[in-house]
Amino acid sequence: AVVSTQTSGYFIQTNLRTGMVEITLLLTENKLGVHALQNTNKLGKFKVHEALSKLSFLPPHYMVGSALKKPLLYVWNVSQDSSVQKYVLPGLALCFAASPCGLYIAVGCDNRVMFWHLPTGQLINSVSNHYQKVTSLVWSSDGRYVVSGGHDNTVNVWEFCKIVYEPSSGSTLYTFTDHSMPVSDLHCGYGGFKSRLFTSSLDCTCNIYEMSTGKLMVTLEFPAPISRLLINRMENFVYGVTVSTEVYRVSLMSPPNADVSKEMKVFIRCNDKITTSCLADNDSSILIGTSSGDLLKYSSSSGQILPFAYKNISADDVINVNLPGYKRNDKHEQFPYQQPLQRSITIAGVLDTCTISLKPSPQTSIISDSDFLALVKEAVAEDQKENTGELRAQIGELTGLSEQLIAFTTQKFLKS
């Protein structure tokens, strides 16, 4: 069920079952800025002074945009028109992604992936397992993994806990080299450790991996190079957006045979080159921006074009986000994370970050690396002892119940 409410002249549709408001964030050319849309209602316009290249969502209600030609990140509150924070980076941001908790951000600079803790501005780690530029970044739904893809045809899966606790190791959990051309897009499904990883490349393929084992489950071959992947929440349909004008759809419930290119039909064909796309309206429609400056809406089930009132806007990027309510706020609210991003890793910074992420404390003392690792190992050992004791107690209870059941069954059998 959906209810419509009016806030400052805007009609907002809220899902009564989840309490979430679905909003589309649209990045256009520099003179127009960023727009917040819901259906055909324009919720806000965010002016910027730099040309932006990409948008991303920062929980709970912020959005981040990277400058096209400068090493800058801009942060906006979705309910306000002006930017609330500007971060200076060590290099140009080729891609970036915020963690699901909103406390960390990963930025791809050249062939490195850099991780910052936003509340303190500390640089946690800077890892590199690519020898060419990093093109895509994505977090798992539980924040446990970070996945990076690059121009070197490689996909790396990092464990975030090792990035924090073992900053000098730089080792990956998985390294996939199944693509033969640059990686164009990444998508990590729901489920955390049991989720599926979707990767696309300019070699016309989409690979689906199992995160728990790193096993390649399926390889989908498309008739054209893929620039973006769209996966619905149920993860039963894969929409491959090509570098030209077509969109292909593959059902994972009944995947095609090996020779996909002969079976696959064009699901959506636009008149102009596709520049950006995303799923919207609870995955029931697809928003597509074209090089002619139109933002079009298509049905995700039939591929038919739907009425939509935005034309001649030159869409550069579009994302769809779910917010826990939406309310226009004309008063300027300060962004809670005001610390600038550091450019170098310090021992104190890593320790402070680890302390904040585990057990926040108003007073943090700087200790040596060896003492810190000893404390971490001691805490892990204590947790393992507690878990082992609980399991042994449960096993003892189950064993006692089993013995009682066996005795009871034996007595019944003997009496009969």
Side-chain angles (χ1 to χ4, degrees):
V2 176
V3 62
S4 296
T5 58
Q6 188 172 3
T7 303
S8 301
Y10 302 103
F11 286 94
I12 310 300
Q13 290 186 352
T14 305
N15 191 318
L16 291 179
R17 183 174 60 84
T18 62
M20 303 296 286
V21 175
E22 186 176 9
I23 293 180
T24 301
L25 302 177
L26 174 65
L27 172 62
T28 62
E29 58 187 11
N30 187 26
K31 65 180 181 181
L32 294 178
V34 182
H35 300 269
L37 314 175
Q38 191 185 46
N39 298 328
T40 57
N41 298 320
K42 184 177 177 180
L43 304 180
K45 179 180 178 180
F46 307 86
K47 296 181 180 179
V48 293
H49 302 288
E50 300 286 344
L52 303 180
S53 60
K54 187 180 179 183
L55 281 179
S56 182
F57 181 61
L58 177 65
H61 50 263
Y62 296 96
M63 59 180 177
V64 185
S66 60
L68 181 62
K69 297 182 180 180
K70 294 183 179 180
L72 297 174
L73 285 181
Y74 291 92
V75 183
W76 294 267
N77 189 326
V78 176
S79 61
Q80 296 180 359
D81 293 341
S82 58
S83 61
V84 294
Q85 181 67 13
K86 180 174 69 174
Y87 289 118
V88 181
L89 302 174
L92 193 65
L94 302 177
C95 55
F96 62 95
S99 64
C101 64
L103 297 178
Y104 304 93
I105 190 168
V107 181
C109 296
D110 198 15
N111 64 338
R112 305 191 67 84
V113 182
M114 310 182 78
F115 297 87
W116 278 279
H117 184 244
L118 292 178
T120 60
Q122 303 287 356
L123 178 60
I124 300 174
N125 206 338
S126 176
V127 296
S128 176
N129 203 35
H130 297 276
Y131 59 88
Q132 291 187 20
K133 293 181 179 180
V134 179
T135 57
S136 302
L137 280 172
V138 67
W139 292 72
S140 61
S141 59
D142 59 353
R144 184 175 180 177
Y145 304 107
V146 183
V147 187
S148 63
H151 272 297
D152 54 359
N153 318 336
T154 304
V155 176
N156 292 315
V157 180
W158 313 81
E159 282 189 286
F160 187 59
C161 61
K162 288 189 176 181
I163 290 175
V164 175
Y165 296 126
E166 302 176 9
S168 59
S169 64
S171 59
T172 61
L173 178 64
Y174 305 121
T175 297
F176 303 125
T177 58
D178 301 295
H179 290 297
S180 59
M181 293 188 71
V183 178
S184 57
D185 198 11
L186 301 169
H187 176 85
C188 194
Y190 294 96
F193 179 69
K194 296 183 179 180
S195 62
R196 292 182 290 184
L197 174 64
F198 300 78
T199 68
S200 66
S201 171
L202 298 180
D203 60 1
C204 308
T205 63
C206 168
N207 292 334
I208 304 177
Y209 299 92
E210 191 176 27
M211 289 290 284
S212 59
T213 61
K215 179 183 177 180
L216 177 60
M217 302 172 63
V218 179
T219 296
L220 304 177
E221 297 181 2
F222 291 88
I226 301 300
S227 62
R228 178 170 288 194
L229 284 176
L230 303 178
I231 318 293
N232 62 350
R233 293 183 179 92
M234 297 296 293
E235 296 182 18
N236 53 359
F237 287 103
V238 176
Y239 301 88
V241 183
T242 66
V243 295
S244 54
T245 62
E246 299 87 15
V247 177
Y248 295 91
R249 186 179 76 161
V250 177
S251 173
L252 296 182
M253 297 182 294
S254 56
N257 297 326
D259 195 356
V260 179
S261 58
K262 292 183 179 180
E263 290 188 9
M264 195 174 298
K265 297 180 180 180
V266 177
F267 184 66
I268 296 174
R269 188 186 298 275
C270 301
N271 295 327
D272 302 289
K273 182 180 178 181
I274 299 174
T275 57
T276 183
S277 59
C278 78
L279 288 168
D281 299 333
N282 291 320
D283 298 341
S284 64
S285 62
I286 302 175
L287 293 179
I288 295 179
T290 63
S291 58
S292 63
D294 295 335
L295 184 65
L296 307 174
K297 179 185 282 191
Y298 293 87
S299 171
S300 61
S301 58
S302 63
Q304 295 179 348
I305 191 168
L306 302 175
F308 201 57
Y310 289 92
K311 293 184 178 296
N312 301 322
I313 56 175
S314 300
D316 294 329
D317 195 8
V318 59
I319 60 175
N320 206 64
V321 298
N322 288 304
L323 303 176
Y326 179 87
K327 184 178 180 180
R328 289 288 301 170
N329 187 4
D330 297 330
K331 296 182 179 179
H332 179 74
E333 291 184 0
Q334 190 176 16
F335 186 58
Y337 311 142
Q338 294 290 327
Q339 296 294 330
L341 301 182
Q342 295 186 359
R343 298 193 177 192
S344 59
I345 302 176
T346 59
I347 297 177
V350 174
L351 294 180
D352 291 344
T353 302
C354 296
T355 304
I356 289 173
S357 63
L358 291 179
K359 297 179 181 179
S361 174
Q363 296 180 353
T364 56
S365 57
I366 300 175
I367 58 177
S368 63
D369 287 347
S370 58
D371 294 339
F372 176 73
L373 292 175
L375 290 174
V376 172
K377 291 180 179 179
E378 183 180 353
V380 172
E382 290 180 357
D383 292 339
Q384 290 179 348
K385 287 182 180 179
E386 292 179 359
N387 294 334
T388 303
E390 292 178 358
L391 289 174
R392 287 178 178 176
Q394 293 177 2
I395 291 172
E397 293 178 359
L398 292 174
T399 303
L401 290 174
S402 300
E403 292 176 353
Q404 293 177 8
L405 288 173
I406 292 172
F408 178 77
T409 306
T410 304
Q411 292 177 1
K412 288 288 185 181
F413 177 76
L414 294 175
K415 289 180 181 180
S416 61

